[in-house]
Amino acid sequence: MTEPLFLKPVFHEKIWGGRHLETDFGYDIPAGTIGECWAISGHPHGPNLIENGEYAGQLLPDVYAQHPEVFGNPKSKVFPLLTKILDANASLSVQVHPDDAYAEEHEHELGKTECWYVIHADEGAYLTYGHTAKTRDELRNLVDNHEWDKLFSKKQVKTGDFVYVPSGTIHALNKGIVVLETQQSSDTTYRIYDYDRVDQKTGKKRDLHLKQSIDVTNVPFQEPVLHSTSTKVGDSTVTTLITQPDSPFFSVYKWQVNGQLTREHEHGPYTLISIIDGQGTLTANNKTYDLTKGTHLIIPADIDSWTLDGQMLVIASESAE
C-alpha cells in the first residue's frame, strides 16, 4: 500500500511578499520578498518533489500521471488542486480569474476558483472583495476612468476567517494578511489595478489585463453564502468550511486536533493536508509519521483511514471531480 506523500514546498518571490514564511513557519526560503509557498502543487510553474516512500525524488505531477491508482484513478488529466501559503507583506494587485471555459480557450489551462483560510490578519486588515458595478457597461466605464475607489469593495477580515473566491470575483489580499489558499491548479491572473507600482528588477510597471478582466468579471457581484458546519469529535473539532453544492471544485475542512482524531476521505478519493499550527503525529497502515507546523502531504486513495494525534490546526481539502 502507498504511504502518505510528503511534499517539498516551492517558493516564489513576489513584489508584495515578505519573510513570514521563514519567521512563522521555519521554512528555509531564498533571500528577498518571498510571497508564496506552493505547498501541494502539480502545476508546471512549481511542482513539488515527493520526499518519502517509493516515489521519493519524483515530481507530484509525474506520479499523478504515471500512477493514477494512487489517486483513485481520477478523471482530471492534471492534478486539479493547488495549495499555497501567501504572505501579503504589501497589498497584492487587484485581480480577477477566469472560469474553466475562458481559461481553456485563452490560456489553455484550468480556470481559477480559490478560497482563503486566514492564518493571520493584522488588526484592521481587509480584503478587496467584490465591486459596485451593476452592469458590464458600468464596470467598463469605471475601469476606463480609473475610478478605483468607487469600483472596489472592501471586506474586513480577522485571523481564523474563511473566504470563498469564485472565478469572476474581483479581489486582492491586502497588507498584513497571511492565508492558506486552496485553488484550482491554475496560474492565470488578470490584473485590474496595481497601485502604479514599479518592479525594482525591471524598472517598469507590471502589466495590466483590463480587457480580460472586464470579460471575465461576474456582474453584478454577489457574495457567496457559505454553509459551514462544525462537529465535536472527542476533544477535537471538525469543521467543513465549504463543500458541494457551494463549491463545484473542492471541499475544504478545518480540523482542530486535541488528542487523537481519526479521519477518512469524505468527498474525494484522496486528501490534501496542511499543518498550520502545532505538532503531532499521523498514523496510517500501522506506520507513524511526525507532523510539524508547515508540513504538507497527500493521503492516497488506498489509505482508508488515518489517525492524527497531538495539538494541531489542520486545513485539509479534497477535489470534487
Side-chain angles (χ1 to χ4, degrees):
M1 299 184 75
T2 307
E3 294 185 49
L5 307 177
F6 287 80
L7 302 168
K8 182 178 181 179
V10 175
F11 302 101
H12 292 276
E13 186 173 7
K14 297 291 181 180
I15 193 172
W16 43 263
R19 303 300 296 176
H20 282 287
L21 292 169
E22 178 181 51
T23 58
D24 293 3
F25 286 88
Y27 293 129
D28 182 13
I29 63 175
T33 54
I34 306 304
E36 295 188 350
C37 165
W38 287 31
I40 306 177
S41 168
H43 195 280
H45 293 174
N48 296 128
L49 276 175
I50 296 170
E51 295 191 302
N52 68 302
E54 63 181 301
Y55 303 115
Q58 298 185 46
L59 292 172
L60 174 59
D62 294 339
V63 175
Y64 183 83
Q66 296 165 14
H67 301 279
E69 70 281 358
V70 173
F71 304 90
N73 297 305
K75 297 177 182 178
S76 177
K77 294 181 179 179
V78 298
F79 190 77
L81 298 184
L82 174 53
T83 300
K84 300 178 183 176
I85 300 176
L86 277 60
D87 171 18
N89 190 57
S91 295
L92 279 68
S93 62
V94 181
Q95 54 196 242
V96 63
H97 305 311
D99 62 15
D100 282 348
Y102 192 97
E104 172 61 29
E105 179 180 354
H106 297 276
E107 310 294 343
H108 310 296
E109 69 167 355
L110 296 176
K112 191 174 178 184
T113 285
E114 62 192 20
C115 61
W116 299 319
Y117 177 81
V118 181
I119 298 171
H120 170 80
D122 288 350
E123 185 175 353
Y126 69 94
L127 310 172
T128 300
Y129 186 68
H131 64 87
T132 61
K134 302 304 180 185
T135 66
R136 200 162 302 278
D137 284 342
E138 183 182 2
L139 171 66
R140 185 177 293 106
N141 288 335
L142 290 170
V143 170
D144 288 345
N145 292 309
H146 297 178
E147 294 187 71
W148 309 122
D149 288 342
K150 185 175 180 181
L151 176 61
F152 301 143
S153 300
K154 296 180 180 180
K155 180 181 179 68
Q156 296 289 322
V157 289
K158 62 184 183 303
T159 300
D161 281 350
F162 178 77
V163 181
Y164 181 52
V165 188
S167 61
T169 303
I170 291 175
H171 66 278
L173 292 176
N174 289 307
K175 181 179 180 179
I177 301 173
V178 178
V179 301
L180 183 132
E181 179 174 278
T182 303
Q183 59 161 91
Q184 292 179 270
S185 184
S186 171
D187 201 24
T188 296
T189 291
Y190 297 142
R191 296 191 196 100
I192 302 176
Y193 177 61
D194 196 35
Y195 315 97
D196 295 320
R197 286 185 290 204
V198 173
D199 189 321
Q200 297 303 312
K201 290 187 175 182
T202 65
K204 300 178 180 179
K205 296 179 183 180
R206 296 194 296 173
D207 291 339
L208 300 180
H209 314 93
L210 300 184
K211 178 187 182 303
Q212 298 95 320
S213 297
I214 293 169
D215 284 347
V216 305
T217 296
N218 296 329
V219 183
F221 169 70
Q222 292 183 312
E223 183 166 352
V225 177
L226 305 184
H227 303 89
S228 64
T229 59
S230 291
T231 304
K232 290 289 289 185
V233 181
D235 292 328
S236 300
T237 302
V238 173
T239 302
T240 299
L241 295 170
I242 195 167
T243 191
Q244 298 183 45
D246 293 339
S247 168
F249 301 108
F250 44 70
S251 299
V252 182
Y253 315 96
K254 179 176 73 172
W255 303 333
Q256 184 65 62
V257 181
N258 295 299
Q260 286 195 348
L261 176 66
T262 298
R263 305 305 301 155
E264 59 186 26
H265 307 297
E266 293 189 42
H267 291 94
Y270 56 94
T271 303
L272 287 60
I273 291 178
S274 295
I275 312 303
I276 297 307
D277 200 9
Q279 61 184 6
T281 60
L282 164 75
T283 300
N285 293 340
N286 299 314
K287 188 171 181 179
T288 298
Y289 308 83
D290 290 332
L291 301 176
T292 59
K293 182 178 180 178
T295 300
H296 306 274
L297 64 141
I298 299 171
I299 305 290
D302 63 0
I303 297 178
D304 296 328
S305 67
W306 59 93
T307 298
L308 302 166
D309 192 356
Q311 303 291 321
M312 294 177 285
L313 176 59
V314 180
I315 301 297
S317 60
E318 295 174 343
S319 173
E321 64 173 2

